[in-house]
Structure formats: C-alpha cells, structure tokens
Amino acid sequence: MSPSPKLPALGSDIKYSDGVALELDSPCTQRPTALRTTAAFFAGIVVTLTAVAQYASWSGLYLTTGLIAAPGTPEWHDYPAPSPTNVFPSAFPSDVGYPGPTHPGAEPGVAATAPAYPLHSGSAHLVPPPHFAKGKGKSKKDKFDIFRHWGSLSPWYSVEQGAFGVDSSPEAPETCQITGVHLLHRHGARYPADVKSTRGPARFAARVRSASVTASGPLRFLNDWTYKLGQEGLTPFGRAQLFDLGVSMRMRYGFLLKNFTAANILPVFRTESQHRMLASAQNFALGFFGYPLDNQYQQVVTIEESGFNNTLAPYRSCRNNADIRKAYRGISPSNEWIAIYLAKAVRRLQKHISGIELDAADVFNMQEMCAYETVALGFSKFCELFTEKEWEGFDYAYDINFWYGVGFGSPLSKALGIGYVQELVSRLTQTPIEIHNSSTNATLHNDLTFPFGHSLYVDATHEVVIINVLTALGLRSFAETGPLPADHIPEGLSFKTSQVAPFAANVQFQILSCSSEPGPQIRVIVNDGAVPLNVLKGCPDNQHGMCPVDAFVEAQKEHIRTTDWNLVCNEDWKVPEGWNTTSGYPDSYAL
C-alpha cells in the first residue's frame, strides 16, 4: 500500500463510501471547438458537485474541491463491474476439446510417508515494516516476527514443536499409520466489522474523518490516508490461505481418498451460510480437489442465524451469549491492559498529530489497522508506529479478551463447544446422537448430511468456536498458567490466541493404527502442534500425545454428561464479582 492514495488513472472507477463514482474518461483524440470544450467543462463541474453534495453527507464523508477524499474517508473499489460490456460467454468457451492424454498419479501422503513434516510460515504475500523484516541480522530483534503477534488477526503458522507440551512432530509416529482425519478449521483473513462501527479500525477512521487532522513525522501519511477496508468478507490473502490449506491437507492426507473410491462415495464437508464461511470452504475445496469441483465432494451449508441450531456457530442459539456480563467478560480486563501497555505510545504519537486528542483506544485501533490493512492490502504504514514490546502487548490484549470471553475463563465456553464434541464422539463411535440437547441440529443428522464411516471429515467454523471446542474437550494444558492478569504478561503463558486461533487456524484429529499400541489411537494437532491428551481421564502419558480412541471417547462422554446446555445458555444466573474459572463452566459459586 502506498503512503498516500493516488488519483484514479484515466478511465478508472473509484468509489467512496456508499457508491460515489469518480470516473475519468480517456482523453479525446480530436480537438473540439472552444465553445463546446468550455460548455462541457462547466457542465462536468456542475454534475460532479451535485453528486458530491448528494452523497457526501454519509457518516461524515468529506471530499475536497480537488476531488481528493478527506483523511479517513472510506474508499471502496467494486469489482467486477455490474454489467461489463464485453461479456460474450459463447466467445470464451472453457472447454474446446483436445485436452491431450492425462491420467492421475498416486495420491500424496506426506503425513504418512515423509521423514519430516512441511512447516507453514503463514506470511506469504505480506510485507512487514522494514525494521521488523527478518533475516537482516543476528540480534533477538531481527528474529521478531510481527505477524505472529496479532492475536486472532495473525495468519496461521506451524507452531514450534513442543509449543503445547508434546515434543513430537505432526507426522505419524514410526510404528503408526494414519487411518482417518477429522479437520476443524477457521475461515481465512477477513475485513473488519461494519464500516459504521463505533469500535475497531472503523472507529479510528471516523474519528480522523470528523476532525481537521494535521499530522507530521511518522504520522504524516494520515494527511491523505483513506479507509480502504471492506466489511467482514474474505480478503484476497484470506482466499489464498484457505486454498493453500486445502493443498496442504491434500498433500498430507490425500491417500485417504482411496477409501472413498473403494466405497464408491464422496466426502461430505460442512460450513456455514456466512459469506466468509462459504467462501473459505469453497477455496479450501479448490485447493484440496482442484477445479472443477463437480462430482468430487458434497458441501453441507448450515444456516448461521438466530433460531437455528448449529455446532459451528453455537452462540446463535445460546440466549446468555447476548449477556455482556457472561459472554464478553474479557472486554474490561483487556481495556485495563491496553491502558497500561500503550500509555507511552499515546504520548509519543500525540506529538505528531493535531486536531484530535488520542486515547488508548485510538492507538489500539491503529494497531488493529496495521493487522487488517496488512492481510487486506499486503502492507500497512501503521505497522511502523510501534515497538516490539508494544506488539507483544497487543498480542496479550487479545489473549485476555479471548481467555475470559470465549475460552477457559468464560462461564459459557464449555457449553458452547460441547455440541461439536457430541458430533465428534458420534462420528468416532458411528453412533447417532440420542438426545439433541445442545447446539446440535437434529434435522441435519441423517445418513446424507452427517454420514458415518468416512476416513476424512472437514468442518469450517470461527476462531471463537475453535477455542470453545478445545475448552469443551477438556484440554487443560492450555489453561495451565491459570487466569490471565491485566497488569503484566506472565512468563511461559500457556494460552496464546495467535497460536491457537489465528486466521485459517486448523485442528486435526488424527486417527491412527499402531503396531506398538493396542487398538486405534487419536491425536489432537493444533496448527501443527501436538496437544497432550494425558490430562484426560483414562489417557496415559505418551511421547507423541496419543490416547486410545476408547479412552478418549469415554472422557468426552463424561464431559457431555456434566455439561448442562439449558442451564448455561437459557437460565438466569449471575457471575459474582471477582469470580474466575479455568474450566469454561459456571461452578457452584456462579450458580
């Protein structure tokens, strides 16, 4: 992204806010008469100013007489054009015959056959600020990766071996073969929420837009900066993330498709109706299967909306999730931390801007702008404004918010994740759910849309649900360091959002057959990091993080039995002042 927006090239079309089109036509090759030129010039001015006056009132939109947007003005580039004039499908057939001889080769299986596992860096296509670019020296600072310090806004990457407590890589142990995989993944990088929002990057843009801002030094780019972020849909990088994840999973587990060919059936994947969820699933499928997708798999699209049970969006059917005292407990402590770690940054940046009095929320929004602009546009000047320590503080602010809001410190988290755990147990045991008493949807639990006996399942969801599920599974190693303080970053933090739930995060439940172990085994791999299962009742210590499937299932059945969805989501109870949990469930003190 350039430090300042350029005027559109001749013939281009740029739209601001709700669709004001600024179109500049190509120059005429013939010289008209002076009268016609003058008349056309003034007529153009009148038409343009009329359009500007009509639309410039939206949410504080200002356009200068030079047709340059005021700082902070939303800038949208709509593509494709609604009715392009050169669309003639018959002139551009996709199949003209003569394909040449082809025949598929053997399916890949890196996770089963390779001596090492391919690691994912996560940051292809993204440009870091120059002072954080890696590989420029040997100091600790040169090893700092800004992309891994954005909380849930980080791109997914392969965590270091042993990051979650198991010193084992994700490929099958030497004596084992992978016989099945259940994959739960997050959508790819997206734009932030509503452009009219009162929080986040849109809030900062509105603040700049409504003031007469003059900036200098490191903030001088704000003088002609426009708000270029869309709303909630996948960014181009987000699409690439899911396509790449699909390719990666085909390379790792493609050999499992032989089971589908032998049974003469197709895999059934699931996603939700939200735009970014459906687009993520489709891009994953394109990477996994290749184009065209016809007759390669079946895609279940569940409805994400209030009134519809959905294990991939359980908060929609949980009434208490709308109670800020229960569902959003991370906001207050994260705000406390933001005020502490950004105090110096507020004073430092205020020296370079007039017309607006910065507060901690503004500066935090600027950090969010860095992350969102980078995953949307490839680069952001906002990233240059902060130190390594301030980025570590930003990362921890997300940890606090997610820990108390949707994780092990939330009284709702276990119940919200238990529906997916019920489905996982149902698939592992090939047994229908007897009582749908959580977020499971009985209508969709049938032989077609919820089949048993498949060696590969793929479900797309949100980051909050991934954390809900890890909580409901009882994977307590993530809660080992306990409740998160709001005044400092603890050493050896066990719960890090950027490691657990970044953009395109993925949880692989590997099913294995091992000559060294009796009966089928299961492993949980989160972003390529093996998670210890010995925290579960009946699961032994294992150097690779494996647990017998039978023991794993029994442990999860106990979690299901001890989770009361109706009580947690529908009944009236209060969270006492100072109350904490590390189980994601409201204990007797809250009830």
Side-chain angles (χ1 to χ4, degrees), residues 126-138:
L126 307 182
V127 181
H131 60 291
F132 284 143
K134 300 179 68 178
K136 288 193 172 185
K138 297 182 179 180

Side-chain angles (χ1 to χ4, degrees), residues 190-212:
R190 63 168 174 83
Y191 295 108
D194 190 346
V195 293
K196 298 181 182 179
S197 176
T198 57
R199 60 186 177 85
R203 171 191 179 272
F204 177 76
R207 291 257 289 158
V208 171
R209 188 167 65 247
S210 62
S212 298

